[in-house]
Amino acid sequence: MSDAVDDSAGKVVEMRQRRRRSGAAEALPEKIDDPEKLDEPDDRGDGPPEETSDSVLPAGCPVTPLGHDTGTCYYLCEAGQLRNLSAKDHSRNNLIDLFGRRAEYVFRTWPRKQQMKETGAWIITGFKAEECGDTLRLACKLAGVWSPVGRVRGAGAWRGVDDELVLHAGDALLTVRAGDAGVFQEPGALPWIEGKPGIVGRQVYPTAPSLPRPSPAREPQDSAEGAGAKMLRMLGTWSLRRPGIDDHLVLGWIGAAMLGGALGWRPVMWITGAYNTGKSSMDKLVDRTLGAGTMLHTSDASAAGVRQVLGHDSRPVAIDEAEADTDGRKMKAMVELARSAATGALAIRGGSDHKATQFTLRSCFLFSSILIPPLLPQDRSRIAVIELDALGSSPPPDMSERTCAELGARLLRQLTEQWHRYDATCEAYRDAMARAGHSSRGQDVYGTLLACADLLLYDHPPDGETLDAWCDKMAAEGMAEIQAQSSDNDACLRHLLTTPLEAPRDRLRFTVADWIRRAIGTYPGMDDDAAAAALADRVLQEAGVKVCAEDGGKPIKLDRYLAVASSHRGLSKIYAGTQWADAPGAQGVWVQSLRRLPHLVPLGANGKPKAIWIGSTVKATLLPLALCLPAPPDRADEDPSSAASPDRAERSADDTYSIPF
């Protein structure tokens, strides 16, 4: 046998075969009707197993051994579904279930017989479950080490090794042929080849519940009667905050949800609006268009529950009523799951049995809620927000299940016909989004959405005029969700500057930013007051920050800068409960974020932080004061006495960073 064969398992099988040949004949009564047949069931040889898994199981076995890993054997059962059994799980009932509708195979291949005393005839009374299990396990050993991670593809859309589109419809595989649109010109020709689920190359496509298939009829080319144009008109009946943009983005998300695992990036969308704006109706339209059983739609689920229900599928997920709960942990976990699914990153979770579970989600997520919960910058940048206003007078679209199902099949047919140009189309829209000022993450989100919408609406690549028009429409500086985003380092600094601090004794209470302005004498209505400046300096140092004008006694080019301690109890209180918090005895995470700010004062020798006295000598990050102070208030809003101060005006003219003096 080869090295892949488990010697002990092989010996067990061989020993039992030998025992059946020798011992069975000795135990037989005198009336024997061809006893050799007892040892040679139908379709089974009497020699020892060869070194291939094909010869271990007789021809026509309905169960496919995939391999083994750390004591677990993996099979495709008779129904084509993935099953994993440990050594002890190879019991009689599990084996019967494994062979399913072909259960007679185990009785014919591993029969347990008994001779009737009256007639001398031999009848099958059962099957030898132990021998059956040993043979199956040996077949898995021969198949080699195998893991489902990255190898199993459930229901949904996938990309093949040659970039072909593979639609796993549950009970069938539809592989969209490669090539240009010319191959679809033949009358009645379908752009896909239909096959059965199973092993395709290195991938395993298990059988699953049936999903909707593309329409057999071809869509009209570039026509207002096309499925994409019809869906666009239906979406236009809602009061969208950005008509002409949001309807295309929702259409693009529907296309992305259908393509799922075949995309390099799966965009996340969040529909929001006040009561009676039609959020649930839009969810229903999307759900029914995708087809029964396609989308996992829930309003009360945990991230772990969604992950377990999806399994290896790439089906889309809709989370309705995604409002923030009291502590936000449940929705935070769900958003993190959507973030992981967007990139298809591998996630690992430990189990109660001390065995890790690995999974990779490739699903598009759709959230809807009245208010969007607080989101971290890395989550917000992955989400396209659709805002709905109060419903107008437009008549609602026909959202019957039949109408939506037919429209969904037509949309899926259009995607199969246009799949050959997806990569080039997506890259073209990503370039347009880059010119519109979007970050690389924004290019992924909006480039994918617009590319999928383009595939559903047109039969040709986008031209330069179309791309320029979208570049103007989607300018980042004019999009509310982009403007609402802030980088992690900006958010860290803003958290510090807006934290209120209270002075001892007189109980004056100002934000850190205002205490800074008081320390340098630029607070509105404040003349040069040495006592007030000294108090502000004391309050700031107790918080772990200090306004400085020199570096170790040597004047520096900056007129003033703010020193933020790398480790300080005052800053620990300010950042407690945030992602920038520290741990006892460790440097604060805020240091990492603040050092990413632009115009940062260079570090000292060898890249080490500056040593500053802030209650004690500590390492500190130096920030230009102009970067920290808020924009100067309108002069008309300032105290009249402050405007008459000649010293303030003189300092403002000399200031390098235009600090609002």
Side-chain angles (χ1 to χ4, degrees), residues 362-653:
R362 290 184 172 89
S363 300
C364 291
F365 276 68
L366 176 65
F367 295 88
S368 61
S369 63
I370 295 177
L371 298 174
I372 299 178
L375 299 174
L376 295 176
Q378 60 267 35
D379 294 325
R380 188 74 185 230
S381 64
R382 287 169 164 81
I383 298 176
V385 179
I386 305 299
E387 293 194 54
L388 301 179
D389 292 328
L391 292 173
S393 57
S394 300
D398 180 7
M399 294 194 301
S400 64
E401 291 191 18
R402 180 183 298 276
T403 299
C404 293
E406 292 176 353
L407 182 59
R410 293 174 58 190
L411 291 173
L412 189 55
R413 171 62 188 259
Q414 177 71 7
L415 288 175
T416 62
E417 293 184 355
Q418 300 301 315
W419 169 251
H420 63 277
R421 66 180 183 91
Y422 170 76
D423 289 338
T425 301
C426 185
E427 192 60 32
Y429 278 105
R430 289 189 83 261
D431 291 342
M433 294 301 98
R435 290 188 284 116
H438 290 271
S439 64
S440 59
R441 191 62 66 235
Q443 296 167 34
D444 290 332
V445 174
Y446 296 107
T448 302
L449 290 173
L450 293 176
C452 291
D454 190 279
L455 262 61
L456 290 171
L457 290 170
Y458 308 108
D459 293 279
H460 53 78
D463 54 28
E465 184 178 351
T466 299
L467 295 173
D468 290 340
W470 279 110
C471 180
D472 295 337
K473 287 183 179 181
M474 301 288 291
E477 60 185 10
M479 299 186 67
E481 58 265 45
I482 302 299
Q483 297 304 312
Q485 297 177 16
S486 62
S487 63
D488 176 80
N489 43 298
D490 288 335
C492 181
L493 179 59
R494 185 170 60 251
H495 181 86
L496 172 63
L497 296 176
T498 57
T499 299
L501 301 176
E502 188 174 283
R505 297 185 182 179
D506 54 11
R507 305 187 68 81
L508 289 174
R509 189 175 180 85
F510 297 100
T511 63
V512 170
D514 282 338
W515 279 117
I516 294 173
R517 300 179 71 190
R518 292 179 70 85
I520 61 178
T522 63
Y523 189 77
M526 176 183 171
D527 294 326
D528 290 337
D529 188 337
L535 175 63
D537 184 66
R538 176 185 172 188
V539 172
L540 290 173
Q541 290 198 49
E542 289 180 353
V545 297
K546 182 180 181 180
V547 177
C548 303
E550 59 183 11
D551 181 11
K554 299 178 182 180
I556 60 176
K557 294 181 181 180
L558 289 176
D559 189 42
R560 286 185 176 90
Y561 61 88
L562 184 70
V564 182
S566 300
S567 179
H568 197 283
R569 290 190 63 184
L571 288 171
S572 297
K573 294 180 180 179
I574 290 176
Y575 285 110
T578 70
Q579 64 267 35
W580 307 290
D582 64 354
Q587 178 177 274
V589 179
W590 63 79
V591 179
Q592 303 174 41
S593 293
L594 294 180
R595 287 181 185 171
R596 298 183 182 130
L597 287 165
H599 311 301
L600 183 70
V601 178
L603 299 175
N606 300 323
K608 295 182 179 180
K610 301 285 185 178
I612 303 291
W613 178 270
I614 306 179
S616 64
T617 303
V618 297
K619 300 295 184 180
T621 301
L622 308 183
L623 304 174
L625 206 55
L627 189 67
C628 305
L629 290 176
D634 194 323
R635 293 296 180 183
D637 296 335
E638 292 189 7
D639 188 272
S641 61
S642 64
S645 173
D647 293 338
R648 295 177 74 251
E650 181 180 354
R651 283 196 297 267
S652 179

